[in-house]
Amino acid sequence: MSDLTRLVDTTNAQYSERFSEALLDELMHVGDPISDTAMADLNEGAYDPDGGQIDQLRRLADDGHEHALAFFERAEQRPPWFDIEMIERGQRVATSFLPAYGVSLMHSLFAGALFPRATLVTGATGRLGTNPARRIHETGAFVSAILQPGGLDAGSLGFDTAVRVRLLHSSIRSWLTRSPGFADTYVGVPIDQTMLAMTNGLFSYLNVRSLARLGITLSADDLAAHHHLWRYVGYLLGIDERLLPESLDIEVELWSALVAHQAMPHAIGPRYIDVCATSIAALLAGGRREGAGASARGKRLATDLMLHLSGPRWFGIDDPAPSGPGLAAVRGLARASYGAYRHVPGVGDWLEQRNRAEMLDSIRTARTHGYGVEVEHQDDPHHEETMATIAARVQRRFDPDIAERVAPVA
């Protein structure tokens, strides 16, 4: 495995023979044919935000409908590369370092906004920026369900959650492609194959890269198991096999190509790191109102974390490497926990058991959540203007013909 702490950004990202620009151009216009066809059979006239489509589809399958049957058969058929021992080891690895994993995951969700086509989709549905605490909570429930022992067996909570999210993606595609204000200016398919692969990379590669940058240098076997876990989750989410790399090294190669293809820090704007820091500081404070000093410290820590884990260049800024005391403390705790995990007998088992107990609230959320996306009221009076600006920059990048048909945006 190459140096996992090495950062990939738009200054060094590149295509490869395996992941060419032509391939990503093609898959940017491909959704999820099996799931999308099944969704079409539901004949939804409007977007259903409560996630109830999965139960409707099961009823169609029970009645023998071909596309509904195909959807569930594909989900329950394990790919030839599936390895249950690797899955279980990957679950244990992630669970053992849950606090650092949570920090890494929170960073990944915000860092993913540098893919502006995905930002346009979240801007039209549930918005990470509108209610980040809710988004983080929902994502934590999804991850917690997947990490449970047996959590990816057919019929388990993690398996059902992944399949429900897959159908949710089709629901969003169906809804947005019928929305004139969105469909007329969007380039490609909403939540297309490249976007699905990018999102899976946030959970897989970016998470272990962040752990490494915090000081948790997992063994090659642990890294392979974690990658295998998320490769299978990607399979359940309907990702094309060409975008499900067989190793972490190849996943890094894919990530580099995806960054070269679609990451656009200039489309988001220089204020984004401040928006991230404000939201993360509130989350780290538990959503409580803190004094000005505590808020400033929280924003400094959040800013340092974002800049350390992805690098200033990821966000299109020239700030020097962060070195605040809060970041040093977080890294020190992460290194200490990993040292104990590696060298003190019984600590690994203890960490896993303790962290599984910490997941109970998230598991309860996963059991009751519909995994729909509610369209939220946007308090920012500049939201529509911001989304139009991002859309125009994406159009100029990928489809100049669309850019000529819509009003120019600076």
Side-chain angles (χ1 to χ4, degrees), residues 180-247:
F182 182 91
D184 293 345
T185 59
Y186 191 75
V187 181
V189 173
I191 317 184
D192 65 278
Q193 285 294 320
T194 65
M195 194 182 301
L196 288 169
M198 177 274 291
T199 303
N200 208 52
L202 296 176
F203 289 93
S204 180
Y205 160 58
L206 237 65
N207 262 345
V208 292
R209 189 186 77 181
S210 292
L211 292 182
R213 291 184 64 78
L214 289 173
I216 298 175
T217 53
L218 297 173
S219 69
D221 287 343
D222 281 348
L223 288 171
H226 183 271
H227 168 264
H228 190 83
L229 167 68
W230 284 103
R231 185 187 186 193
Y232 181 58
V233 174
Y235 171 86
L236 291 177
L237 293 175
I239 298 178
D240 189 295
E241 283 282 353
R242 289 173 290 180
L243 300 182
L244 289 176
E246 62 187 35
S247 71

Side-chain angles (χ1 to χ4, degrees), residues 156-383:
S156 69
L157 178 62
F159 177 92
D160 284 351
T161 299
V163 172
R164 187 182 297 273
V165 169
R166 180 183 183 185
L167 195 60
L168 166 67
H169 289 160
S170 286
S171 179
I172 293 173
R173 275 190 292 270
S174 174
W175 174 52
L176 288 180
T177 53
R178 295 197 308 268
S179 301
F182 182 91
D184 293 345
T185 59
Y186 191 75
V187 181
V189 173
I191 317 184
D192 65 278
Q193 285 294 320
T194 65
M195 194 182 301
L196 288 169
M198 177 274 291
T199 303
N200 208 52
L202 296 176
F203 289 93
S204 180
Y205 160 58
L206 237 65
N207 262 345
V208 292
R209 189 186 77 181
S210 292
L211 292 182
R213 291 184 64 78
L214 289 173
I216 298 175
T217 53
L218 297 173
S219 69
D221 287 343
D222 281 348
L223 288 171
H226 183 271
H227 168 264
H228 190 83
L229 167 68
W230 284 103
R231 185 187 186 193
Y232 181 58
V233 174
Y235 171 86
L236 291 177
L237 293 175
I239 298 178
D240 189 295
E241 283 282 353
R242 289 173 290 180
L243 300 182
L244 289 176
E246 62 187 35
S247 71
L248 183 56
D249 277 325
I250 298 176
E251 186 180 2
V252 176
E253 179 186 330
L254 169 59
W255 180 262
S256 181
L258 289 167
V259 171
H261 192 246
Q262 292 189 41
M264 298 170 60
H266 63 281
I268 302 302
R271 286 191 60 254
Y272 183 66
I273 191 68
D274 185 65
V275 172
C276 291
T278 300
S279 298
I280 293 173
L283 289 166
L284 293 175
R288 299 184 303 274
R289 284 188 173 274
E290 305 286 348
S295 176
R297 289 195 297 272
K299 284 190 65 174
R300 171 64 187 274
L301 173 58
T303 300
D304 284 353
L305 279 170
M306 296 293 286
L307 296 181
H308 176 68
L309 296 180
S310 276
R313 290 180 178 176
W314 179 254
F315 300 99
I317 59 178
D318 298 322
D319 287 5
S323 58
L327 175 61
V330 170
R331 296 183 68 193
L333 288 171
R335 287 195 297 269
S337 69
Y338 184 65
Y341 170 87
R342 285 289 303 273
H343 303 297
V344 180
V347 167
D349 291 339
W350 177 82
L351 284 172
E352 183 184 354
Q353 293 170 9
R354 184 199 67 177
N355 292 337
R356 289 205 183 282
E358 293 293 323
M359 289 182 179
L360 291 179
D361 284 344
S362 290
I363 292 299
R364 282 191 284 269
T365 297
R367 290 190 188 283
T368 59
H369 202 291
Y371 286 94
V373 177
E374 180 179 354
V375 181
E376 299 175 355
H377 174 68
Q378 174 57 253
D379 294 327
D380 181 1
H382 304 294
H383 174 74

Side-chain angles (χ1 to χ4, degrees), residues 12-26:
N12 60 8
Q14 57 185 343
Y15 300 106
S16 65
E17 183 177 353
R18 189 180 353 238
F19 302 115
S20 65
E21 184 176 14
L23 174 66
L24 299 184
D25 281 344
E26 172 193 342

Side-chain angles (χ1 to χ4, degrees), residues 113 115-127 172 176 182 185-187 190 195 267-268 383-395:
F115 292 85
R117 293 178 62 254
T119 298
L120 292 171
V121 173
T122 57
T125 57
R127 305 179 185 96
I172 293 173
L176 288 180
F182 182 91
T185 59
Y186 191 75
V187 181
M195 194 182 301
I268 302 302
H383 174 74
E384 296 303 327
E385 179 183 350
T386 300
M387 291 297 105
T389 300
I390 293 173
R393 287 171 175 164
V394 171
Q395 291 154 11

